[in-house]
Amino acid sequence: HELLTTAKITELAFDLEFWNPSKHLGRTCLLQLSSNAGKSYVIDVLHPDVWDHLGDALRDFFENPHIVKIGHSISGDIACLHRDFGIHVLNAFDTYEAASVLQTGPGNLAALCSHYGVCSSRYADLKAQYQTSDWRQRPLSAEQIEYGRYDVHYLIALRMLLIRDLTKHDLWFNENSKQESQNVAVALRDTLRSIQLAEGDVDDLFDESCNYP
């Protein structure tokens, strides 16, 4: 609960490590958070006292639309948070999607950090070693915890750098970027609709005749 009662938070970087042997079987193993208040957390969700209460502790926080949640390639993370803890993520910024529009290069987070010069080689080394770890295994090593912190440490800065580049004047006159914006709008519509259907909400907020910008 310290996270919820600390200084005013407007940005929250998040990442999950999970075990997903198949499309229909998986389990969240670690949750990492970092905020604009300068606090970072690596949470062992597999501890029984944590697993049973994490949803209640963080649900309102993740669903607060006034706090920007920042992650990298977050579709899997969002699905795991909902599946395992009943948490919806509102107002999210995906650095992977933003980097894809800007065509910054390889899609992985370490490469994006390197592109903007915001990380050390230590992170790349840890990522190469631990990204495919079996995160169910306990105890976690000091290096695994260090890697987990690195995975969220740079996301807030990256969001600002990506927004800076996304809002450069000439980007909006690029026909390819216009198409990307349309694709994102349609994807967002489909995601929200799937949530409505899953929760039994029969009212459709989206009109098929709309032209998405």
Side-chain angles (χ1 to χ4, degrees), residues 8-194:
K8 178 71 173 177
I9 293 174
T10 58
E11 296 169 295
L12 178 70
F14 73 102
D15 184 61
L16 275 67
E17 309 300 338
F18 42 79
W19 173 71
N20 272 3
S22 72
K23 181 179 180 181
H24 302 290
L25 179 65
R27 186 176 179 87
T28 303
C29 300
L30 200 71
L31 171 62
Q32 305 100 275
L33 303 171
S34 182
S35 78
N36 63 294
K39 296 258 187 176
S40 295
Y41 305 83
V42 177
I43 303 171
D44 182 1
V45 302
L46 293 185
H47 191 288
D49 291 339
V50 176
W51 184 275
D52 294 340
H53 301 289
L54 188 71
D56 290 338
L58 295 181
R59 185 175 298 110
D60 289 345
F61 193 68
F62 270 96
E63 295 178 6
N64 185 337
H66 302 294
I67 299 172
V68 181
K69 273 66 71 175
I70 308 162
H72 189 81
S73 191
I74 60 177
S75 59
D77 293 345
I78 288 174
C80 287
L81 284 171
H82 183 252
R83 178 196 65 204
D84 292 338
F85 308 110
I87 292 174
H88 292 294
V89 179
L90 301 183
N91 189 12
F93 183 95
D94 192 330
T95 55
Y96 172 82
E97 297 296 342
S100 295
V101 172
L102 292 168
Q103 299 179 346
T104 59
N108 66 79
L109 182 55
L112 183 60
C113 287
S114 178
H115 174 81
Y116 282 108
V118 297
C119 72
S120 67
S121 60
R122 174 68 173 165
Y123 176 44
D125 293 341
L126 288 170
K127 197 168 190 67
Q129 185 173 356
Y130 292 108
Q131 185 173 22
T132 58
S133 292
D134 184 347
W135 289 96
R136 297 171 298 169
Q137 300 300 317
R138 295 295 184 273
L140 296 170
S141 70
E143 285 193 335
Q144 284 179 301
I145 294 172
E146 182 184 7
Y147 164 72
R149 293 186 66 185
Y150 268 121
D151 254 1
V152 293
H153 182 71
Y154 301 108
L155 288 171
I156 293 175
L158 284 173
R159 173 176 176 263
M160 299 306 297
L161 291 166
L162 288 162
I163 288 174
R164 178 200 67 186
D165 291 348
L166 285 167
T167 53
K168 283 181 178 177
H169 179 75
D170 59 346
L171 180 66
W172 302 110
F173 295 91
N174 185 307
E175 189 63 30
N176 291 333
S177 296
K178 180 180 179 181
Q179 183 60 50
E180 290 283 357
S181 298
Q182 292 174 336
N183 292 342
V184 169
V186 171
L188 177 60
R189 177 201 65 190
D190 293 343
T191 298
L192 294 175
R193 178 177 289 152
S194 68

